[in-house]
Amino acid sequence: MLVATGIDIVSVARFEGLLSRYGERLLKRLFPEGVEYCLKKRPGELAGCLAARFALKEAAVKAYSQAGVAVGLSAVRVIGGGREIRLSVEGAPAHLRPVFSISHEREFAVAVVNLVELRRC
């Protein structure tokens, strides 16, 4: 059963500006789990990939908040990428499964997270 939905949109240009200004410090703070997948992308796609991952984290925080679960941005981990991407949320109840989608293009990155309650047998 669908319990909550979170969505976020990020300006790729704004994220690119933050990346230029803060560099490695920004990556370590926002993505302590690492960003190896994004670093392997083509040169012009790094900011979009990172912006999409950040949007996913924000959308997850919003979805859990809507479900009444306090989750901070630092508890949300985006692991892997492409078809192997996973979302890990420290301290989240086991009966709520995040189902998500992310996308980015030149100007914007967007993510949506739906929390689905697993049936208890």
Side-chain angles (χ1 to χ4, degrees), residues 1-7 56-71 76 87-101 111-119:
M1 176 171 88
L2 180 64
V3 174
T5 299
I7 187 167
L56 179 56
K57 286 182 170 224
E58 286 283 334
V61 169
K62 291 173 182 178
Y64 280 99
S65 174
Q66 194 176 67
V69 179
V71 171
V76 181
L87 185 63
S88 170
V89 183
E90 185 180 320
H95 71 280
L96 295 178
R97 174 177 290 160
V99 179
F100 61 91
S101 181
V112 63
V113 175
N114 291 309
L115 293 182
V116 178
E117 186 171 28
L118 301 176
R119 291 187 176 193

